Amino acid sequence: MEVYAGPAFSFVQDNYGRRWDFEYIASKYQVIVANFDGRGSGYRGNKIMWKNYLNLGHYEPEDQIEFARKISTEKDFIDESRIMIWGRSYGGYTTSRIMAKDGLAYSNENEGPSNPPETPGQAPVFKCGAIVAPVTDWKYYSTIYSERYLRTPTENPPGYEKSPTIQNYAIENYKNHDSIYIVHGTADDNVHFINSASLSKFMIQNGVELAGNYFQSDENHGFSLQPGLIGYYRHYTLMERLVNECLSPELVEFGDDNEKLNLN
């Protein structure tokens, strides 16, 4: 799965677009790639769109988790033990929140450091997650964006307390996932590198075994700063390797004679 889930954003559209995972990964390997627009997304009415106002990072991960759980249990051709999620920018933030909440009994709208969710309620849905260029604390991001959806820290202290990825209650849940990857360019001019550095430090200090910290030197938010787009090429070469690592045993490519994808 690929996720973004930013306020008023819509991933699911009835048109053709060139995307790395939908066009390349889904056509090379016998895998299914999916998006889901949950609460907070656009073009589905104001009630849904405004759901995460002043409360970022709560409903977005929950809805992605529930979608993956529902579709994987209802469709026999989906291997429930091999589901990966990734996202960049707000999608990286959402992925980090999914890794923190996947498996928790997360019915508490007022969760936060002083009021954590309940203990793990069921097995995680996602085997692993690739967190790319994420916001990890909205105090580290552009105020014109953060304050648009959370207002200021003095006006909305709970919103800034609950929304960060770095939460002590999430430590054990991070550990319950097979692999977590963090990917970021050190010259990111949109989401400052301090976001990933802080998350990586937090995980290491608390004994979370990261499958990989992949920090691309002097690369920007889109990994397109270096001449000839060498960083862009390297980034998606890395992402393909992470997909293969996460969804092992080895993925089957279309055209292989030893296995065929059965969607009946």
Side-chain angles (χ1 to χ4, degrees):
M1 284 180 61
E2 181 183 1
V3 62
Y4 186 78
F9 182 83
S10 176
F11 230 148
V12 181
Q13 299 180 11
D14 186 16
N15 62 10
Y16 175 81
R18 294 178 297 169
R19 298 196 63 81
W20 164 77
D21 44 7
F22 272 76
E23 277 63 55
Y24 174 68
I25 294 296
S27 62
K28 180 176 180 179
Y29 299 104
Q30 295 191 18
V31 299
I32 296 162
V33 181
N35 290 138
F36 177 74
D37 291 336
R39 285 171 288 184
S41 59
Y43 309 105
R44 300 176 63 193
N46 284 338
K47 184 176 181 180
I48 289 177
M49 185 177 69
W50 283 81
K51 191 66 177 178
N52 58 6
Y53 181 59
L54 303 180
N55 191 19
L56 298 181
H58 180 73
Y59 295 110
E60 306 96 305
E62 291 186 5
D63 290 352
Q64 299 296 319
I65 293 165
E66 285 307 306
F67 167 74
R69 190 185 305 280
K70 178 178 176 61
I71 195 171
S72 64
T73 55
E74 292 182 355
K75 305 299 182 181
D76 293 338
F77 53 81
I78 296 178
D79 185 345
E80 295 179 75
S81 67
R82 294 198 294 166
I83 304 178
M84 177 183 184
I85 191 160
W86 84 282
R88 183 171 69 192
S89 196
Y90 201 103
Y93 168 66
T94 305
T95 301
S96 67
R97 295 291 289 144
I98 288 169
M99 294 292 101
K101 301 183 76 166
D102 183 19
L104 291 176
Y106 44 72
S107 59
N108 186 357
E109 281 195 30
N110 298 313
E111 68 185 40
S114 59
N115 190 23
E118 300 171 27
T119 54
Q122 49 193 330
V125 175
F126 295 100
K127 181 181 179 183
C128 48
I131 301 167
V132 183
V135 174
T136 58
D137 190 322
W138 291 104
K139 293 178 183 178
Y140 293 155
Y141 196 58
S142 171
T143 53
I144 196 171
Y145 188 97
S146 299
E147 293 177 10
R148 182 188 305 156
Y149 301 111
L150 289 175
R151 302 196 66 81
T152 68
T154 54
E155 291 175 302
N156 182 22
Y160 284 87
E161 180 187 60
K162 295 182 295 182
S163 58
T165 291
I166 299 171
Q167 304 277 6
N168 286 328
Y169 69 73
I171 293 170
E172 292 304 315
N173 215 46
Y174 283 133
K175 295 177 181 179
N176 287 336
H177 292 88
D178 189 76
S179 300
I180 297 177
Y181 311 96
I182 301 178
V183 183
H184 210 132
T186 62
D188 194 324
D189 53 345
N190 184 340
V191 179
H192 197 282
F193 177 65
I194 191 175
N195 286 274
S196 284
S198 299
L199 178 59
S200 175
K201 179 181 178 181
F202 171 76
M203 289 186 173
I204 291 170
Q205 287 180 332
N206 288 282
V208 179
E209 290 292 336
L210 287 166
N213 269 327
Y214 298 99
F215 299 148
Q216 290 187 226
S217 300
D218 297 328
E219 272 299 348
N220 61 11
H221 195 58
F223 302 95
S224 59
L225 192 61
Q226 302 305 311
L229 296 180
I230 189 172
Y232 187 85
Y233 174 79
R234 181 192 180 279
H235 172 63
Y236 284 105
T237 300
L238 167 66
M239 290 300 298
E240 183 175 2
R241 177 163 65 81
L242 300 187
V243 169
N244 274 277
E245 285 183 10
C246 174
L247 302 181
S248 60
E250 186 176 355
L251 294 180
V252 177
E253 296 189 22
F254 283 106
D256 287 358
D257 294 330
N258 61 332
E259 186 175 338
K260 294 185 181 299
L261 187 64
N262 181 7
L263 298 182
N264 293 326

